[in-house]
Amino acid sequence: MLGISRWSEEYSYKTIERFFDKKIDWLSIKWRMIKSVIGEEVIVVADETTVSKAGKSTYGIGYFYSGLQNRAINGIQFLSFSLIDVKSRRAYPLFSKQLKGKKKKKSEGKPKRKRGRPKGSKNKNSSELRLEGLFKVVNWYLKVIIKAIKLPQLRYFVYDGAFGNNVGIQSVKRAGLHLISKLKKNSSLYFKFEGEQKGRGRKRVYGELVDYQNMDKKYLKKITVDKDIETKVYQFEALHKKINGSLNIVLIFSINLKTKKTTHTILFSTDLEQDYDKIIEYYSLRFQIEFNFRDAKQFFGLEDFMNIKKRRLHNFANLSLFMNNLSYLIYKDSHLHRYSINDIKALFMAERYTREALKFYAQNGDDILISNAIEHIAHFSMIHGHTG
């Protein structure tokens, strides 16, 4: 906040503090900013990002997994939603929400439940289960986002393997979207039973177990060879005993032609009519949200801010990701299209330095042509600039 007040020229530190204490509709602000650049084919994605924090006073602080450090670290975590334009392959941040860590419950010495199904328990409808934790949060904000942006072409939500289960699928379906995600490698999938049913008793639903190592050629969609790696892509409809309804499965099976080692990835979509290439493309586009996190942390203070209150944390996280959209629009609508974010920051810093320097000579920077001087000064800290 101190850095923002210094560079803003017109606003004091107290004014910046009051700004961060306000209730701000970040979703509406971000959507109005990017709606003019969104194309016809879009998807919504979400992911969590962890920000390291020291001390104990920060709201929601706890131990969260950090993918960058590959371990749990002391910090805070945000769940962020981004809209991805498929054609341009660019992610536009929409909304961020802080997640709270789970507190350890003290054991009260209650006797453990016996193994097996409790006597008198009844079967439950797996499509009417209760949403809790992350699934409840995602379901709530997906509904909010859909209502706010009103895009008829928005049909798919993409998340990582954490939503590769029945709860994740139901949380997205209840928001009116299809889910694209990933299953565990050891997931037991079954083809639908297509044989003759018995005259009495319950109808058989599950057919043969899917053998990932020996797939029928009729499901093969594509074969590619890159160096010594052969990749086969299969698509088929399958069932999972713990998931309600059929899944559109895309199996990516790879083999090293030299060592004969194999590996596979199981992607799925709840849209049974979707093509395999779109499922792969949409899931790979999910990674674009990581560039939002990278830029927000590297250039816009998401890793360095010192706020500790709940609302200020929320506002700063959304402001940091808002700057991704703002910097792209500056980049797109000006001569800066050949520069990076670091270069754009260098240009604005050079403009400020130049104006401050001119004040020593009683010159008004607005009344004289100084654009060449600004760009020349900026070249010293720009990546793509020249010093000639």
Side-chain angles (χ1 to χ4, degrees):
M1 292 191 295
L2 184 59
I4 293 173
S5 66
R6 284 172 177 169
W7 284 92
S8 63
E9 297 187 67
E10 300 178 5
Y11 302 103
S12 67
Y13 180 73
K14 284 295 180 183
T15 303
I16 302 300
E17 274 192 318
R18 287 192 289 271
F19 168 79
F20 278 98
D21 285 329
K22 288 183 178 180
K23 187 176 181 180
I24 303 171
D25 186 359
W26 287 107
L27 176 58
S28 296
I29 292 172
K30 292 176 184 178
W31 169 238
R32 288 175 184 175
M33 174 176 282
I34 66 171
K35 64 189 299 184
S36 62
V37 297
I38 291 296
E40 292 297 321
E41 190 176 5
V42 293
I43 58 174
V44 63
V45 303
D47 202 359
E48 305 116 70
T49 184
T50 302
V51 178
S52 58
K53 282 285 182 181
K56 300 179 181 179
S57 302
T58 305
Y59 175 82
I61 195 168
Y63 279 90
F64 298 93
Y65 179 78
S66 170
L68 190 63
Q69 300 188 36
N70 200 27
R71 63 183 178 88
I73 63 171
N74 192 38
I76 54 178
Q77 192 172 67
F78 296 97
L79 172 68
S80 294
F81 295 84
S82 288
L83 201 64
I84 293 183
D85 185 339
V86 176
K87 185 176 180 180
S88 65
R89 302 183 67 85
R90 179 175 291 275
Y92 300 92
L94 281 176
F95 185 78
S96 296
K97 167 71 176 176
Q98 186 180 0
L99 299 177
K100 292 182 67 177
K102 293 182 179 179
K103 294 182 180 180
K104 292 184 178 179
K105 295 181 180 180
K106 295 181 180 180
S107 58
E108 300 176 357
K110 292 182 179 180
K112 292 183 179 180
R113 186 171 65 85
K114 295 180 180 180
R115 294 179 64 183
R117 183 170 180 169
K119 189 176 181 180
S121 63
K122 297 181 179 179
N123 292 336
K124 297 179 181 179
N125 190 334
S126 58
S127 64
E128 298 177 358
L129 48 82
R130 181 181 178 183
L131 301 178
E132 295 180 348
L134 177 64
F135 305 107
K136 185 178 180 179
V137 173
V138 169
N139 173 263
W140 172 267
Y141 284 106
L142 280 179
K143 291 178 180 177
V144 172
I145 289 170
I146 292 169
K147 185 178 180 181
I149 66 178
K150 298 177 182 177
L151 278 179
Q153 67 266 38
L154 181 59
R155 298 179 57 208
Y156 300 99
F157 173 68
V158 186
Y159 206 90
D160 61 22
F163 270 55
N165 49 63
N166 190 52
V167 188
I169 291 172
Q170 297 307 319
S171 65
V172 177
K173 276 188 173 182
R174 292 180 192 181
L177 296 177
H178 287 294
L179 172 66
I180 296 175
S181 186
K182 183 171 69 171
L183 294 173
K184 292 181 179 180
K185 290 187 177 183
N186 61 349
S187 296
S188 297
L189 295 175
Y190 297 84
F191 292 109
K192 282 186 176 180
F193 180 74
E194 297 179 350
E196 186 178 349
Q197 298 285 354
K198 294 180 179 180
R200 59 180 182 177
R202 184 178 179 181
K203 290 185 177 180
R204 188 174 173 183
V205 177
Y206 301 100
E208 294 182 357
L209 181 68
V210 176
D211 184 357
Y212 304 124
Q213 300 286 336
N214 299 289
M215 292 296 302
D216 196 315
K217 289 184 179 180
K218 68 180 180 180
Y219 302 117
L220 182 63
K221 297 295 182 181
K222 185 179 179 181
I223 300 178
T224 58
V225 179
D226 183 13
K227 296 181 180 179
D228 296 324
I229 306 298
E230 182 185 69
T231 302
K232 296 181 179 179
V233 179
Y234 299 90
Q235 185 178 28
F236 52 92
E237 189 177 325
L239 299 169
H240 191 291
K241 290 187 176 181
K242 293 185 178 181
I243 294 177
N244 181 268
S246 300
L247 298 176
N248 186 353
I249 301 295
V250 174
L251 172 66
I252 305 173
F253 186 86
S254 299
I255 181 171
N256 188 310
L257 299 176
K258 285 187 175 180
T259 63
K260 302 302 179 183
K261 289 185 177 180
T262 63
T263 185
H264 65 272
T265 302
I266 310 170
L267 305 181
F268 75 87
S269 172
T270 55
D271 182 1
L272 301 181
E273 303 298 324
Q274 193 174 19
D275 293 334
Y276 74 93
D277 54 343
K278 285 297 181 183
I279 296 176
I280 296 173
E281 182 184 14
Y282 288 175
Y283 190 80
S284 64
L285 282 173
R286 183 189 64 85
F287 191 78
Q288 295 298 316
I289 197 174
E290 298 295 341
F291 296 127
N292 294 156
F293 297 148
R294 180 201 64 186
D295 292 341
K297 290 182 178 182
Q298 184 174 349
F299 300 110
F300 304 123
L302 185 59
E303 188 66 46
D304 308 311
F305 67 96
M306 303 300 291
N307 293 321
I308 61 174
K309 296 181 180 178
K310 180 180 179 180
R311 179 162 290 177
R312 292 186 180 183
L313 290 169
H314 175 78
N315 283 335
F316 202 99
N318 279 281
L319 176 63
S320 298
L321 289 159
F322 163 85
M323 291 303 297
N324 280 275
N325 294 337
L326 179 61
S327 60
Y328 172 69
L329 294 179
I330 294 173
Y331 160 95
K332 179 178 179 294
D333 297 333
S334 71
H335 71 287
L336 306 176
H337 59 272
R338 67 184 185 275
Y339 298 140
S340 65
I341 292 179
N342 188 69
D343 297 334
I344 294 172
K345 288 185 69 175
L347 281 168
F348 281 101
M349 291 171 70
E351 181 180 353
R352 176 67 186 276
Y353 289 145
T354 305
R355 294 185 188 280
E356 290 296 321
L358 289 171
K359 288 179 182 179
F360 288 104
Y361 298 96
Q363 297 285 347
N364 187 345
D366 295 325
D367 297 334
I368 62 177
L369 186 63
I370 59 172
S371 59
N372 291 336
I374 291 171
E375 196 157 347
H376 180 75
I377 294 171
H379 283 317
F380 287 101
S381 55
M382 291 168 61
I383 296 173
H384 299 95
H386 59 84
T387 56

